[in-house]
Amino acid sequence: MKALVLRGHGDLTQLEISDQPQPEVRHDRDVLIRLEAAALNHLDLWTVRGLPGLSLSFPHIVGADGAGVVEEVGSAVESVEPGQRVMFNPGISCYRCEYCLAGEHSLCERYGLLGEHLPGTLAEYIVVPEQNLALVPTPPDGELSWAEAAAFSLVSLTAWRMLMRRAQVRAGERVLIWGIGGGVSSTALRLAKLAGAHVIVTSSSDRKLAWARELGADATLNHATQDVVSEVRTLTGKRGVDVVVENVGEETWDRSLRVLGRGGRLVTCGATTGARASLDVRRLFWHQWTIMGSTMGNREDYQQVVGLLAEGKLRPLVDSTFPLDDGVDAMRRLEQGEQMGKIVLEIP
Ligand code: ZN
């Protein structure tokens, strides 16, 4: 089968289209999917560059998100059958360890992500456990395209768990979201608005801030030209925000804490600018802050967020589509960071 593979860690020149063996149904709950589209995530760039502790065997197929048609199912599969349109949670769990048995699949001892630890979705076929699948729903405003279905899972699941399961954002709360161009941040904005929160977002691009206002942002700040801390203090009558949504890390951490109000929660799922952060413990206990980590989501989280998609509340935002053969160009667009919404590869 055709796939976009990484020959070794480095830059985008390490990627190429090549012929790879087609994956097979090996376990009784495996499902073989013929992929129709696959979406890119910032994570794919980290996989290309190489992450500490990540050892891959090359050539490695990249890509975490995808959607397609069920081609073949294992002997114990009951929830899907060949011919159905499916999408999937890209976090693969063992479904046997104590965390999995407690329903916390993203804490699994053998947790791995498609395209990061396991062969990915930029290919004609993939095998995914039945437990990770969802049928592609049809929202009231019309059937989802393959590109929309492929674009949905990773960012929606990540943002939903951060805001709803972990930070538990409530109506009327003030929420700050850094870097609104990214898929997780823009989905976090939409979820916070669905929850009835007052949302402040930042970006270094005025074009992306205008887009965020269309998505419902109540206030926007250009973090390259404005002082986010003093602006947030002004916008919140000096009390600060109830929730900060972080995935930037070192560059924003201090400011995230300076805008966090009494009893505030900071939730993070990433550290794109560096992983070292400091904390004055006295401010932590005196202001009774909660700092929480979040990554991906469990099976129940995925069902919840697919439910919102089915209700027409979270239709994916697609920036652009490329044919699989132009996968390197698509990755270059991702690297340049100009996109608003998801970059999707269509697989003929
Ligand atoms: Zn497990």
Side-chain angles (χ1 to χ4, degrees), residues 93-100 105 108-110:
S93 311
C94 75
Y95 293 103
R96 286 190 300 270
C97 72
E98 65 174 295
Y99 298 100
C100 284
H105 304 110
C108 174
E109 292 167 1
R110 272 172 286 170

Side-chain angles (χ1 to χ4, degrees), residues 76-88:
V77 170
E78 292 180 344
S79 59
V80 294
E81 56 189 57
Q84 287 183 316
R85 281 162 56 99
V86 291
M87 47 201 241
F88 42 84

Side-chain angles (χ1 to χ4, degrees), residues 13-237:
T13 63
Q14 293 286 352
L15 290 165
E16 67 178 9
I17 296 286
S18 83
D19 193 35
Q20 295 294 312
Q22 187 177 315
E24 291 170 5
V25 169
R26 288 210 170 87
H27 302 287
D28 59 3
R29 297 191 74 181
D30 279 353
V31 176
L32 176 68
I33 299 160
R34 178 167 49 78
L35 289 161
E36 294 280 348
L40 302 185
N41 289 284
H42 204 83
L43 166 75
D44 302 324
L45 294 175
W46 293 105
T47 306
V48 170
R49 291 168 197 153
L51 287 161
L54 178 66
S55 69
L56 298 175
S57 60
F58 298 107
H60 172 78
I61 304 172
V62 291
D65 270 325
V69 177
V70 174
E71 185 93 354
E72 188 190 333
V73 299
S75 58
V77 170
E78 292 180 344
S79 59
V80 294
E81 56 189 57
Q84 287 183 316
R85 281 162 56 99
V86 291
M87 47 201 241
F88 42 84
N89 170 355
I92 308 298
S93 311
C94 75
Y95 293 103
R96 286 190 300 270
C97 72
E98 65 174 295
Y99 298 100
C100 284
L101 294 175
E104 285 297 353
H105 304 110
S106 53
L107 293 175
C108 174
E109 292 167 1
R110 272 172 286 170
Y111 195 69
L113 272 182
L114 296 177
E116 186 181 0
H117 313 94
L118 301 163
T121 55
L122 302 189
E124 290 177 298
Y125 292 91
I126 194 161
V127 167
V128 176
E130 174 187 25
Q131 296 95 323
N132 283 62
L133 296 183
L135 297 175
V136 176
T138 302
D141 56 346
E143 190 172 283
L144 295 169
S145 67
W146 282 118
E148 288 173 315
F152 180 74
S153 296
L154 189 146
V155 294
S156 306
L157 179 62
T158 302
W160 193 90
R161 185 173 176 90
M162 286 178 88
L163 271 81
M164 310 316 293
R165 181 80 65 199
R166 303 289 280 139
Q168 299 186 8
V169 171
R170 295 182 292 271
E173 288 195 311
R174 293 156 198 268
V175 176
L176 174 71
I177 303 171
W178 287 101
I180 203 61
V184 171
S185 299
S186 55
T187 311
L189 162 60
R190 299 168 78 197
L191 289 169
K193 289 309 298 176
L194 284 175
H198 181 94
V199 187
I200 306 167
V201 305
T202 87
S203 173
S204 60
S205 154
D206 288 333
R207 196 170 60 95
K208 288 182 181 176
L209 292 175
W211 180 65
R213 285 192 289 276
E214 283 172 32
L215 293 179
D218 297 286
T220 59
L221 298 172
N222 186 317
H223 60 234
T225 59
Q226 288 178 283
D227 179 342
V228 171
V229 174
S230 68
E231 295 289 344
V232 169
R233 287 179 64 80
T234 304
L235 286 167
T236 58

